[in-house]
Amino acid sequence: MTACLPCFAVLLHSTSAVIESYAQTLLPGLDYVQGELIVTFREQYMPEQDQVSFATRSFGIQDLDTLLDTLGCYYMEKYLSTYGRVKSEGGARLERTFLLKFRDGTDAQAVANTLLQLPHFERASLNRLLKREYGGIQRRVPAGGVFSQQWYFNYETNDSADIDAPEAWAITGGAPNVVIVIHDSGTMVDTISDSSNWKLHSDFSFYWTSEDTVEAFQLNGKDLNFTDSAGDPDSYQDNVIGYNWAAQPPLLTDPYKLQFWRSVPHDWVRCSQRLGTTCSQQYPHGTQVGSIAAAKFSTTSDIAGLAHYCRVYYIRSLNLGEPAVLDNEIKAILHAAQYADVINMSWGFESDEGLDDLKDAMDFAAADSQCVLVSITHNDSSSELVRWPAAWDNVMAVGAMNKNRTLASYSNYKSDSPLVDVVAPVDNGVVFDSHTACAVVCPSGDCSQCSPDETTTTGWGTSFAAPQVSGIAALIRSRFPAMRQDSVRSRIKRAAEWYWADTFENHAKFGSGKVNAYRSVTEWGEVPMAYSEDAYGNRTDLHRAVWGGHRSGWPDTLYVSGDLFVDAGDTLILQEGTVVRIAPEPIAHNEGAPLNLDPNRIEIVIKGTLRVLGEANDPVVFESFTSGSPTNADWAGIRFEPGSEGILSHFVVRNAVTAIKSHVPLSIENVTLSDGSEGIEAHAGVQVTTGSISNFTAYGVEVLKGHTSLNGVTITDCGMGIALGGYQQSAGDSTSVSATGCTITSPDFHGVTTSTYDHRHLALDGTEITDAYYGVALISATTADIRDCTLRRNDSGLLLLADPKAIAVRSSVIDTSTTSGVYCVNGGTNYYLGGNTIQANPVGVLCLNASPLIQNGNSITANTTGIKCDSGSSPVIEWNTISTNTTGVWTLNGSNPDLGHATGGSSIGNNTFSGNASYHVLNQTVSTTLVAENNWWGSSSGPDPGKISGSVDFDPWLTSAPGSPPSPAPPVGEDREEELVEQVPDRFDLSPGFPNPFNPSATLRVQVPPPGSRVLVVIYNVRGEAVRTLLNEYRNPGTHVLTWNGRTDAGEAAATGVYFARMRAPGFIETQKIVLIK
Amino acid sequence: MAKNMLLIVVGALSILSLGATSGQAGRTSLYLDTTALATFTPEDPNLGVYYMLTLSVPPEAARAKWVFVEFYVDVSAREAQDASDQTPLLDVFALKDKDGYSGSLDPSQFEPLSLPMARPVAVGQDRRVVIDVTEIVRKRATEPTSICALLIGSLTGPRSGLFAIKPDRLDQPGVARLTFFD
């Protein structure tokens, strides 16, 4: 480009005059560097690269070069040499910006004014001296610095006040390829073991090292024994730990050699190690700030830095006691931008006047170099000021908050503008690097005040809030290396916690809220798919992986902050001891809503395979945590999708809405589920062997489809213990549950209940249900087999409502109910009670418009009323002992029970009445004579007339006790059936009859696979006529042995001959030939 | 995702009877205040007082799997010829039309249901009564203009028991609690 200077002659004359007049004012104490300007060409006048000669101080624009020479310019330096490669507006401007130096006595302001009259320059600024102030104040604390004092990382007293650093470290501690520039007061050297050499500060695991080799040097007569990455004890130093842009030699011919070591405060002697007697007055601010961001990890001997595997790189741009120089600040930022992923600036300017070029440098660092820039609002206790650079858009402005989540009194904000991005916890003091103690304890240099026990320093100020954010940014970049800087900043803000009312003032104070390291690195609300772990603690690829088991290199804690999917084809194995920690999420925290928890947000979804392999003393634990948690039902739970697989053993699930929801058959052993809405929601067969299910507000187990079996499971304090059904199913669907050896205690409503829909089957064996409203509530269209159970202290032990199908209650104890032992409503003889002990209830069996079979050895004793028949009830009562009640049998309101007929009738009597206090039989159905023949009344002479009330036909009576009653048997069919305890078959099958030929009976084995099914087994003769239906009901999965006694459905003996047993089930037909001989 | 908690949205028809709500995942309770309860004294001296309890039925109740109404009663037995009934029957019927109800016990006023809601209650104080009202509540939830009200007491004859509903025996103020299982 060729410059054009149309008015050059005029300007030259006038400029000379101006310079002369201002020359008299160049005095020390001005707020700029004498004789220095920073100028920016307009784009169209920018000289071509190859025209510029720094040696001859020429832009290749003749008139301009002449003018500058006339004005005394002796030095030119270009800030950016990228030549059109930058994209940012600020960076593009810096490509056109130069530092110009003029001879002594030059009035730089006058020169600037002159140059700005030329068309070439859009900007000409003085190289200002700036009042740059650090934002931290240090003081001593009495105890040694240990991790427990780092409350801002992990505050046991109030979890909501910390930033969840340990939780984040479970994900990553940072990666060494991520560099945090600490643009501050430099760092300190250390002497630990070798008094002859200096070392770099031992509290940092990694320093960033350039690839430059520089000449080694000595400091106070000692070698600076920095780590030599090449391992060669030569006189050259391979590691460059930082730069000091404040100390400028006259010409920067070799900045590495001349300046790298100046980032180390070379006059400092660490007296806390008692190696010296004088202390440095070097300002420890930079070391303290850096230690918060990235000190070496330690939880015992010292503090831990947040991004402790990341490397730090120290930049100084001013010396203590000196003003900052704009030119240095620009160069420091541009230099840092070459290497930094994050630049921490715990300092600020009171004004942005004259900082346009620095702003451009920041713009370049952020937009072109993709550095995350972090700075502080500062400590002026002002509600009207956020200092610069924090106030600029591309710099993260960090304030400080207290432990009680109020804004720190010193933390600035601007009440009319939301300039604050986030806050971090500082309160009135955070601990940091212990090795800075000396500088704080005895800044005067008098080390007699030092004590080995007083090695911890603490401090307050926004300075120590910013490195928390910088550390988080470094952790994010460790996990997501390709993430853009603006996305990192957005992520930090998005993951912030919000605790305050949603007002403009609060957003002005707190920005997006308190930062949270864990949320930031786990993609709060998204899916953290990290799994395998690299050398630096970063994990990738969650799939096909194994966790826990205390195996070397494998963490035992899996953190889940968003929905976690195990996809089809993948397998997640959780070994013993694994803890899966679920972090419930807030609702719309960025919108300022209170920190509420949405239980629907986080779920573990299994589409592939989940193997949970805990051990008895070392289970796998799924639990939630967050501020104030765990709380009931604060995450969704584990869901098995159709097609998935699960093998679950020895594990614990806490605080899930639905601990386990499964659409596939599952096998579960030794499980503890607690605190939610539902323990298990089964949409397919679930087998649970040994477990504890407690404190679920809705259901312990909800069975919606398929066959669920519970063996040795304890269900306590749930809304309802076991619930079958609840929605209408398609034709052919069946639902059943069996509970063997289980205990159901203290449900809010019923122990076991069924819905009103068809195809429900319940089997309870050896199960105890106590303190429920209804122990078991069986509602219409349900079959049930209840045997050897105990129903105790319920309002009513058993409700049989609305004609359920084939209910058999056998050999069970039903006692101490509040109202009734058994309450039968609207049912017929398909209610069967046999061999039960029903005692100590206000009423043992209450029939309301119901006619159950009460037979075969029931012991109905010590009730107020043994059997009460109300509202047209006509139960069949035989072979029972009805004794020691106040009233044995009470009938009223049109009821007419059959207590025994000598001929005809349904009951043959054989009941034993004895010891009933008021009446054996009280008949208040006035128009009906109650028939109670063939019973034993405790006397060969018949009943005591005083114990009979109303019209009762008790003659004939037994003259002796009736003997042992028949064994309780199922009410349906006369052929026997057994269920074998074998391995559950995987298909339907009908075995050949045995023996064959047979007489008098033969057995047939029927196999039913999960989830169970309705099965039809019919005997046909050779003419194809159905002779006998052996089975036409739902059957549980398993092997069932049917015995045919050689009789027809009419009860007649079948003829000798060939028969065919045919089994039908959904999708299955099988026939076996069987021969009856006589 | 986990199932949504059943949210209670009380319609205009049930405003008078709304008390507090208590929501837990999978189960929600709604407390009915005293305005939901009306007391009737029958002309037949054989009958004790009986009650009309108006239930608040939100539309979401249509998908509830179970709905229970709970309240507490004092129960006393009446003298009988040969034996006093220690487990008198508490009749429960659903009214077809609450607004048109004048206190009559004519069965034509009652909604025919497939499952009876009556149940025995032991003589004594502070007896907890749980009635399964799933059927009627589901039915009402799909008829937004209808009213869901129960008649409660000895309604079908001398059942040898007297019942007195006791308010404020629940864990929150109210005469009765509706619990919806999702």
Side-chain angles (χ1 to χ4, degrees):
Chain A
M1 179 181 296
T2 301
C4 177
L5 298 175
C7 303
F8 175 70
V10 175
L11 287 173
L12 180 62
H13 173 76
S14 61
T15 300
S16 300
V18 170
I19 291 172
E20 187 174 352
S21 65
Y22 274 83
Q24 306 301 317
T25 64
L26 294 176
L27 298 172
L30 297 180
D31 61 353
Y32 55 87
V33 179
Q34 294 183 60
E36 296 188 0
L37 286 179
I38 301 172
V39 298
T40 303
F41 279 88
R42 295 185 191 279
E43 187 170 1
Q44 62 269 35
Y45 290 101
M46 176 64 187
E48 296 290 344
Q49 180 183 350
D50 55 5
Q51 298 295 312
V52 177
S53 170
F54 295 112
T56 59
R57 296 172 299 282
S58 170
F59 290 115
I61 306 173
Q62 184 176 359
D63 292 347
L64 178 60
D65 291 339
T66 301
L67 172 63
L68 291 174
D69 185 61
T70 303
L71 293 173
C73 179
Y74 69 88
Y75 178 83
M76 291 167 48
E77 180 182 356
K78 194 169 186 293
Y79 281 101
L80 274 180
S81 300
T82 46
Y83 298 110
R85 295 197 298 271
V86 301
K87 297 178 181 177
S88 69
E89 183 179 342
R93 204 157 31 233
L94 279 179
E95 286 184 319
R96 294 182 270 115
T97 300
F98 293 78
L99 173 68
L100 302 181
K101 295 184 179 181
F102 298 87
R103 285 187 292 271
D104 290 347
T106 302
D107 181 350
Q109 182 62 64
V111 174
N113 293 340
T114 297
L115 297 182
L116 285 174
Q117 294 182 53
L118 302 178
H120 301 74
F121 299 102
E122 67 176 79
R123 185 185 294 169
S125 307
L126 297 174
N127 185 15
R128 298 172 60 89
L129 302 181
L130 307 169
K131 184 183 178 184
R132 205 191 83 180
E133 293 178 308
Y134 294 115
I137 292 89
Q138 307 81 27
R139 59 190 173 199
R140 57 188 281 187
V141 292
V146 293
F147 177 71
S148 61
Q149 296 183 2
Q150 288 187 274
W151 62 270
Y152 44 102
F153 283 175
N154 185 39
Y155 192 35
E156 298 291 345
T157 305
N158 180 5
D159 188 48
S160 66
D162 66 32
I163 66 169
D164 287 342
E167 291 85 348
W169 293 334
I171 307 299
T172 179
N177 62 315
V178 173
V179 176
I180 307 173
V181 162
I182 304 297
H183 182 358
D184 211 278
S185 66
T187 187
M188 295 178 171
V189 291
D190 199 0
T191 59
I192 300 296
S193 59
D194 186 346
S195 60
S196 63
N197 296 313
W198 294 104
K199 292 182 177 180
L200 281 177
H201 201 293
S202 61
D203 273 357
F204 294 96
S205 297
F206 302 96
Y207 283 87
W208 182 85
T209 57
S210 77
E211 296 178 354
D212 303 296
T213 296
V214 298
E215 191 174 356
F217 61 94
Q218 288 194 327
L219 189 137
N220 290 354
K222 299 174 184 177
D223 290 332
L224 267 173
N225 186 24
F226 296 160
T227 301
D228 189 330
S229 60
D232 50 343
D234 54 23
S235 59
Y236 286 85
Q237 173 61 45
D238 295 319
N239 297 336
V240 177
I241 64 166
Y243 289 83
N244 181 4
W245 292 98
Q248 295 187 78
L251 290 172
L252 286 172
T253 56
D254 189 343
Y256 295 132
K257 289 183 178 179
L258 293 175
Q259 295 203 34
F260 83 95
W261 57 272
R262 287 181 177 143
S263 63
V264 180
H266 51 76
D267 60 344
W268 186 77
V269 178
R270 184 163 180 251
C271 61
S272 63
Q273 292 292 327
R274 293 181 174 177
L275 297 176
T277 58
T278 59
C279 285
S280 168
Q281 294 186 35
Q282 187 62 41
Y283 197 46
H285 187 267
T287 308
Q288 294 161 341
V289 168
S291 72
I292 291 175
K296 182 166 62 181
F297 181 78
S298 171
T299 59
T300 54
S301 62
D302 211 323
I303 66 164
L306 187 54
H308 42 261
Y309 289 131
C310 294
R311 284 189 283 190
V312 294
Y313 182 62
Y314 272 93
I315 291 290
R316 291 175 71 192
S317 58
L318 80 168
N319 291 319
L320 197 65
E322 298 175 356
V325 179
L326 177 59
D327 173 55
N328 293 343
E329 298 298 320
I330 295 170
K331 289 172 180 173
I333 292 298
L334 295 179
H335 176 78
Q338 298 178 65
Y339 311 111
D341 293 283
V342 182
I343 301 176
N344 186 91
M345 297 171 284
S346 288
W347 44 263
F349 299 112
E350 286 183 330
S351 166
D352 64 342
E353 181 183 357
L355 298 184
D356 292 343
D357 297 298
L358 181 60
K359 186 175 187 300
D360 286 343
M362 298 278 182
D363 194 20
F364 169 78
D368 288 301
S369 296
Q370 286 299 310
C371 300
V372 179
L373 307 180
V374 181
S375 189
I376 58 174
T377 62
H378 226 283
N379 307 333
D380 304 299
S381 304
S382 173
S383 62
E384 302 305 327
L385 172 66
V386 170
R387 289 203 187 199
W388 288 267
W392 288 328
D393 288 343
N394 50 12
V395 179
M396 205 143 190
V398 183
M401 61 171 265
N402 297 318
K403 291 177 180 175
N404 63 4
R405 301 194 306 238
T406 57
L407 189 70
S409 60
Y410 48 79
S411 186
N412 293 359
Y413 66 99
K414 200 164 190 315
S415 61
D416 61 352
S417 180
L419 294 178
V420 177
D421 287 306
V422 289
V423 295
V426 176
D427 206 294
N428 65 353
V430 296
V431 294
F432 31 57
D433 175 58
S434 65
H435 296 86
T436 65
C438 185
V440 176
V441 172
C442 43
S444 65
D446 179 6
C447 287
S448 62
Q449 298 180 45
C450 293
S451 166
D453 295 329
E454 295 178 334
T455 58
T456 298
T457 47
T458 183
W460 57 267
T462 50
S463 272
F464 310 118
Q468 297 181 50
V469 178
S470 294
I472 291 172
L475 294 178
I476 293 172
R477 290 222 135 152
S478 298
R479 284 208 69 203
F480 310 104
M483 186 173 289
R484 294 177 54 84
Q485 57 86 22
D486 50 347
S487 297
V488 173
R489 290 189 285 129
S490 295
R491 170 181 289 262
I492 293 172
K493 294 168 70 172
R494 192 171 62 244
E497 296 174 81
W498 184 260
Y499 294 99
W500 306 274
D502 186 18
T503 64
F504 185 88
E505 182 184 16
N506 281 335
H507 282 288
K509 287 180 175 178
F510 301 103
S512 294
K514 186 199 70 175
V515 292
N516 185 296
Y518 169 71
R519 296 185 186 191
S520 298
V521 297
T522 52
E523 294 185 286
W524 191 250
E526 300 172 35
V527 184
M529 297 303 288
Y531 202 85
S532 61
E533 189 176 51
D534 63 21
Y536 311 113
N538 299 306
R539 301 168 195 163
T540 57
D541 187 10
L542 179 63
H543 306 291
R544 304 178 187 85
V546 181
W547 279 67
H550 312 302
R551 286 154 178 78
S552 176
W554 290 104
D556 286 341
T557 304
L558 168 61
Y559 288 86
V560 178
S561 66
D563 287 349
L564 172 62
F565 291 88
V566 176
D567 292 332
D570 292 341
T571 297
L572 174 60
I573 300 175
L574 303 177
Q575 298 281 8
E576 72 277 11
T578 302
V579 177
V580 182
R581 302 196 75 186
I582 315 295
E585 297 170 86
I587 298 173
H589 59 280
N590 273 344
E591 283 70 45
L595 187 64
N596 295 323
L597 300 176
D598 178 357
N600 295 322
R601 294 292 292 276
I602 298 179
E603 187 175 32
I604 296 177
V605 182
I606 310 300
K607 299 180 179 179
T609 300
L610 174 64
R611 296 177 185 270
V612 177
L613 308 175
E615 294 180 354
N617 297 321
D618 205 7
V620 173
V621 178
F622 298 79
E623 63 181 5
S624 59
F625 77 107
T626 188
S627 300
S629 78
T631 57
N632 190 319
D634 56 11
W635 65 289
I638 307 169
R639 174 160 56 93
F640 290 86
E641 291 278 84
S644 63
E645 295 181 40
I647 297 176
L648 312 170
S649 179
H650 290 97
F651 70 106
V652 177
V653 181
R654 300 189 183 108
N655 311 112
V657 174
T658 301
I660 297 173
K661 180 187 294 185
S662 181
H663 294 269
V664 293
L666 280 183
S667 174
I668 299 172
E669 295 179 355
N670 296 288
V671 62
T672 299
L673 311 175
S674 66
D675 302 299
S677 171
E678 292 191 46
I680 297 173
E681 182 178 304
H683 296 261
V686 174
Q687 297 181 35
V688 184
T689 304
T690 308
S692 169
I693 300 172
S694 61
N695 292 309
F696 287 96
T697 55
Y699 316 104
V701 178
E702 183 184 20
V703 180
L704 296 167
K705 198 172 181 181
H707 174 69
T708 286
S709 67
L710 308 172
N711 209 314
V713 176
T714 298
I715 302 174
T716 56
D717 296 316
C718 296
M720 291 196 277
I722 302 171
L724 269 78
Y727 60 78
Q728 184 68 57
Q729 299 181 86
S730 303
D733 287 345
S734 59
T735 302
S736 65
V737 64
S738 63
T740 303
C742 296
T743 301
I744 301 172
T745 304
S746 302
D748 293 337
F749 292 89
H750 309 330
V752 179
T753 189
T754 62
S755 70
T756 60
Y757 300 116
D758 205 349
H759 308 295
R760 306 278 187 257
H761 179 74
L762 170 69
L764 300 178
D765 190 351
T767 289
E768 181 173 313
I769 303 173
T770 60
D771 300 304
Y773 194 75
Y774 290 119
V776 180
L778 298 172
I779 305 171
S780 64
T782 296
T783 62
D785 184 1
I786 300 171
R787 67 176 83 179
D788 299 316
C789 292
T790 298
L791 308 178
R792 180 162 293 156
R793 291 193 309 274
N794 304 294
D795 189 273
S796 288
L798 188 63
L799 168 67
L800 309 179
L801 176 61
D803 200 14
K805 297 173 181 175
I807 304 297
V809 183
R810 289 175 280 174
S811 307
S812 295
V813 175
I814 305 170
D815 65 15
T816 56
S817 304
T818 302
T819 302
S820 58
V822 181
Y823 178 35
C824 304
V825 190
N826 288 14
T829 56
N830 44 8
Y831 295 169
Y832 171 80
L833 303 174
N836 302 292
T837 298
I838 302 171
Q839 62 185 13
N841 306 290
V843 56
V845 179
L846 172 57
C847 301
L848 189 70
N849 188 32
S851 303
L853 299 173
I854 305 172
Q855 59 186 186
N856 299 343
N858 293 297
S859 175
I860 302 172
T861 62
N863 304 288
T864 304
T865 301
I867 302 172
K868 180 181 176 182
C869 305
D870 195 354
S871 301
S873 296
S874 302
V876 176
I877 303 171
E878 62 183 11
W879 285 107
N880 303 293
T881 297
I882 304 171
S883 63
T884 65
N885 306 289
T886 302
T887 298
V889 176
W890 184 7
T891 178
L892 69 166
N893 294 326
S895 296
N896 185 21
D898 188 345
L899 279 164
H901 280 74
T903 58
S906 300
S907 167
I908 62 171
N910 286 327
N911 297 294
T912 295
F913 289 87
S914 65
N916 294 304
S918 297
Y919 303 104
H920 292 316
V921 178
L922 169 61
N923 179 16
Q924 291 186 325
T925 302
V926 177
S927 60
T928 302
T929 296
L930 191 156
V931 181
E933 300 172 345
N934 286 343
N935 295 303
W936 167 243
W937 302 94
S939 169
S940 60
S941 58
D944 177 351
K947 295 291 181 72
I948 303 292
S949 178
S951 178
V952 179
D953 172 14
F954 48 80
D955 187 11
W957 60 82
L958 299 179
T959 56
S960 60
S964 298
S967 296
V972 180
E974 57 181 309
D975 300 297
R976 287 186 291 117
E977 179 184 343
E978 297 176 62
E979 185 172 349
L980 297 183
V981 181
E982 295 180 345
Q983 188 171 3
V984 175
D986 58 2
R987 58 188 175 85
F988 290 109
D989 194 20
L990 175 66
S991 69
F994 178 85
N996 193 10
F998 75 95
N999 184 13
S1001 62
T1003 60
L1004 296 149
R1005 290 190 173 210
V1006 172
Q1007 289 189 352
V1008 181
S1013 171
R1014 177 174 291 276
V1015 178
L1016 178 65
V1017 179
V1018 178
I1019 306 294
Y1020 294 90
N1021 59 25
V1022 292
R1023 293 185 296 275
E1025 298 167 339
V1027 175
R1028 179 77 176 109
T1029 299
L1030 292 177
L1031 181 61
N1032 185 15
E1033 287 182 342
Y1034 173 89
R1035 282 296 176 266
N1036 294 333
T1039 300
H1040 306 266
V1041 180
L1042 307 179
T1043 301
W1044 181 36
N1045 63 2
R1047 292 184 176 271
T1048 66
D1049 279 335
E1052 298 172 352
T1056 298
V1058 175
Y1059 294 87
F1060 298 93
R1062 173 172 293 178
M1063 172 180 169
R1064 300 187 67 173
F1068 177 84
I1069 297 178
E1070 177 70 287
T1071 303
Q1072 298 289 352
K1073 186 172 73 173
I1074 190 170
V1075 179
L1076 172 61
I1077 60 172
K1078 292 186 178 177
Chain B
M1 278 300 168
K3 65 182 65 175
N4 290 321
M5 188 167 60
L6 180 63
L7 297 177
I8 294 300
V9 180
V10 178
L13 295 173
S14 56
I15 288 175
L16 288 177
S17 57
L18 174 64
T21 59
S22 171
Q24 298 168 298
R27 173 178 151 190
T28 303
S29 293
L30 188 154
Y31 293 78
L32 307 176
D33 64 25
T34 53
T35 61
L37 191 67
T39 305
F40 295 89
T41 302
E43 294 180 357
D44 184 347
N46 291 318
L47 302 177
V49 297
Y50 57 95
Y51 302 92
M52 182 175 70
L53 182 65
T54 303
L55 307 182
S56 297
V57 181
E60 291 80 359
R63 67 168 188 267
K65 293 172 182 170
W66 281 273
V67 185
F68 299 113
V69 63
E70 292 173 82
F71 51 86
Y72 284 81
V73 293
D74 286 345
V75 185
S76 57
R78 287 190 285 187
E79 291 300 321
Q81 179 183 353
D82 295 307
S84 62
D85 193 342
Q86 298 300 302
T87 53
L89 196 69
L90 179 65
D91 289 315
V92 182
F93 293 99
L95 283 175
K96 286 181 177 176
D97 182 2
K98 172 201 144 190
D99 291 336
Y101 183 66
S102 60
S104 166
L105 295 178
D106 182 349
S108 65
Q109 305 241 6
F110 302 152
E111 180 85 25
L113 298 174
S114 61
L115 300 176
M117 295 187 286
R119 66 145 305 138
V121 186
V123 168
Q125 305 288 308
D126 295 325
R127 297 297 191 197
R128 179 186 180 219
V129 177
V130 175
I131 307 292
D132 187 335
V133 292
T134 308
E135 183 179 3
I136 184 63
V137 165
R138 275 185 183 160
K139 195 170 183 179
R140 290 293 187 261
T142 57
E143 301 167 354
T145 59
S146 64
I147 293 297
C148 188
L150 304 178
L151 277 192
I152 299 170
S154 287
L155 306 174
T156 56
R159 292 288 192 180
S160 300
L162 299 171
F163 301 92
I165 292 181
K166 297 189 71 175
D168 297 332
R169 277 286 288 112
L170 302 162
D171 59 348
Q172 291 189 35
V175 296
R177 173 171 55 199
L178 268 175
T179 297
F180 303 84
F181 279 80
D182 193 11

